């Protein structure tokens, strides 16, 4: 069965950098996020790895893992939120002490999703794909991003409903901040391969597909065992977001996932918005999605609120979800914190 942490009032946030740290010229931006969270009643403890960045990582792999393990073991820390993602989190996963993982939330996305998915697969403890720490530094949050607190406060056995956003951000503008950080200028539109309204449901698993594909064939990506040990072979509803891959790289990755058995018992697939997905010749991302539908015979919903074009719904690895696309561009995510 799945074990769900719960976010309590006035929680203590541990911020560690299992992937990229914050370079010195952005320290003030990070400090703004700390101050904002403290004003909202949280306390924040920051690890040494957060303040350094060299050779595409915050620190050597064992140092990053040691700090993460220490925060996980610290009973005074209620939730761990990395500053953001990065590039080389995969280096530290083998040094994570999975036997001592405690029931506390880990929240983030991008490179962090490799750590979160591996924890859920190996331990059955739910993890949260959603906002990064630096993205909560605004005077207020948009309605979609703000839901992370209520989602993570949901109790075992309860449910929580999220809605699609009305607008999303096309590109980052760190030098031109808004009161809620993001520049929400584009109309959100959830789409389906069928062109009709769709409803899919199952146990959520996923993350940044560029990252989690590297768990395939390792002890940290055993989806078959997870289904058997923790969810009684219930169907899996996969969600992915593409950071940098073109369409053929995305296609190769999805074929590898299929051949590795990740799509056995799959009930549907969700894809987040992306400014990647560059076509190769006349092979477009819509062709990739159609190929999946043809091969797996499951619905595909895409351009959902997930990934590097915020805002984001909060997706819980391990939770049971009912996801609807209503055919008009809007959608909902109903999370059930089912054991």
């Amino acid at each position: 069965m799945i074990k769900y942490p719960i976010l309590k009032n006035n929680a203590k946030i541990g911020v560690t950098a299992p992937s990229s740290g914050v370079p010195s010229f952005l320290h003030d931006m990070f400090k703004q996020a700390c101050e904002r969270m403290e004003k909202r009643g949280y306390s924040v403890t920051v690890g040494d790895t957060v303040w350094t960045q060299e050779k595409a990582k915050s620190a050597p792999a064992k140092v990053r893992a040691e700090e993460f393990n220490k925060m996980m073991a610290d009973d005074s820390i209620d939730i761990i939120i990395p500053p953001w993602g990065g590039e080389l989190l995969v280096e530290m996963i083998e040094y994570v002490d999975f036997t001592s993982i405690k029931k506390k939330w880990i929240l983030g996305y991008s490179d962090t999703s490799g750590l979160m998915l591996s924890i859920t697969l190996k331990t059955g403890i739910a993890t949260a794909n959603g906002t990064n720490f630096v993205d909560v530094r605004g005077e207020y949050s948009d309605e979609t991003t703000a839901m992370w607190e209520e989602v993570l406060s949901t109790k075992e056995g309860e449910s929580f409903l999220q809605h699609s956003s009305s607008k999303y951000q096309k590109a980052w503008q760190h030098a031109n901040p808004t009161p809620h950080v993001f520049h929400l200028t584009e109309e959100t539109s959830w789409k389906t391969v069928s062109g009709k309204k769709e409803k899919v449901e199952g146990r959520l698993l996923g993350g940044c597909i560029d990252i989690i594909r590297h768990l395939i064939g390792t002890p940290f990506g055993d989806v078959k065992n997870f289904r058997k040990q923790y969810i009684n072979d219930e169907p899996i509803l996969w969600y992915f977001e593409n950071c940098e891959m073109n369409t053929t790289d995305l296609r190769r990755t999805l074929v590898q996932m299929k051949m590795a058995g990740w799509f056995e018992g799959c009930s549907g697939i969700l894809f987040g918005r992306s400014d990647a997905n560059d076509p190769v010749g006349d092979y477009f991302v819509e062709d990739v999605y159609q190929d999946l539908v043809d091969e797996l015979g499951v619905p595909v919903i895409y351009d959902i609120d997930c990934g590097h074009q915020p805002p984001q719904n909060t997706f819980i690895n391990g939770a049971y979800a009912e996801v609807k696309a209503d055919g008009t561009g809007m959608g909902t995510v109903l999370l059930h914190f089912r054991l």
Side-chain angles (χ1 to χ4, degrees), residues 280-294:
V280 176
D282 61 351
Y283 192 55
F284 294 88
V285 73
E286 291 82 5
D287 300 313
V288 178
Y289 299 155
Q290 184 66 60
D291 286 341
L292 267 183
V293 171
D294 294 342

Side-chain angles (χ1 to χ4, degrees), residues 20-67:
S20 288
V22 181
S24 57
F25 68 92
L26 292 176
H27 282 182
D28 285 344
M29 183 177 75
F30 175 77
K31 291 175 183 177
Q32 288 176 10
C34 294
E35 292 168 1
R36 184 65 56 192
M37 296 305 283
E38 288 171 348
K39 286 181 180 178
R40 295 174 60 182
Y42 296 94
S43 59
V44 181
T45 183
V46 180
D48 293 338
T49 60
V50 171
W51 304 109
T52 55
Q53 176 71 2
E54 186 178 6
K55 302 293 183 183
K57 66 194 79 174
S58 64
K62 289 184 178 180
V63 173
R64 285 178 275 154
E66 181 180 358
E67 187 173 272

Side-chain angles (χ1 to χ4, degrees), residues 89-319:
L89 179 138
V90 69
E91 295 179 334
M92 60 81 72
I93 291 180
E94 64 180 307
Y95 304 113
V96 171
D97 184 2
F98 287 93
T99 63
S100 300
I101 296 293
K102 295 191 175 183
K103 200 172 71 168
K104 61 178 72 176
W105 284 117
I106 305 170
L107 171 67
Y109 77 105
S110 193
D111 209 18
T112 307
S113 64
L115 176 62
M116 296 190 299
L117 180 59
S118 62
I119 285 174
T120 298
L121 291 179
K122 286 186 71 69
T123 71
I125 296 174
T127 52
N129 193 98
T131 188
N132 286 325
F133 188 80
V134 295
D135 296 332
V136 296
R137 69 186 184 278
E139 294 177 31
Y140 57 91
S141 290
D142 63 274
E143 293 180 359
T144 307
T145 304
M147 288 296 103
W148 74 267
E149 290 177 284
E150 292 188 62
V151 172
L152 302 193
S153 300
T154 303
K155 298 177 182 177
E156 289 182 353
E158 294 184 348
S159 301
F160 191 86
L161 179 66
Q162 299 176 82
H163 296 270
S164 56
S165 66
S166 57
K167 292 181 181 294
Y168 73 93
Q169 173 177 279
K170 187 175 183 179
W172 293 93
Q173 301 179 45
H174 290 303
N176 180 30
T178 71
H180 51 28
V181 178
F182 305 134
H183 294 77
L184 305 176
T185 59
E186 312 299 310
E187 294 289 335
T188 295
S189 180
W190 289 21
K191 303 178 181 70
T192 64
V193 170
S194 68
K196 305 173 183 178
K197 62 182 180 180
E198 295 278 12
K199 176 185 177 182
V200 290
E201 57 184 284
R203 293 282 185 171
L204 285 171
L205 287 178
C208 181
I209 194 167
D210 315 45
I211 305 306
I212 64 173
R213 62 176 173 171
H214 296 295
L215 301 179
I216 295 171
T218 75
F220 313 105
D222 194 341
V223 176
K224 183 177 181 179
N225 180 71
F226 169 80
R227 292 188 65 220
K228 181 179 180 180
Q229 183 172 354
Y230 295 112
I231 62 170
N232 197 30
D233 281 332
E234 287 184 272
I236 291 177
L237 176 56
W238 285 99
Y239 68 93
F240 301 122
E241 57 102 358
N242 178 12
C243 181
E244 297 178 336
M245 294 190 289
N246 64 25
T247 56
T248 51
D249 198 4
L250 177 62
R251 173 62 177 159
R252 286 190 294 266
T253 298
L254 291 164
V255 171
Q256 183 181 4
M257 288 177 170
K258 180 186 70 172
M259 293 190 296
W262 276 30
F263 294 144
E264 292 177 9
C266 172
S267 59
I269 302 179
L270 315 171
F271 287 93
R273 291 181 295 265
S274 175
D275 62 356
N277 292 326
D278 293 331
V280 176
D282 61 351
Y283 192 55
F284 294 88
V285 73
E286 291 82 5
D287 300 313
V288 178
Y289 299 155
Q290 184 66 60
D291 286 341
L292 267 183
V293 171
D294 294 342
E295 290 175 352
L296 302 180
V298 299
V300 170
I301 302 173
Y302 62 100
D303 287 357
I304 67 168
D305 290 291
C306 177
H308 287 74
Q309 290 189 314
Q312 300 194 60
N313 293 127
T314 302
F315 286 84
I316 303 298
N317 288 318

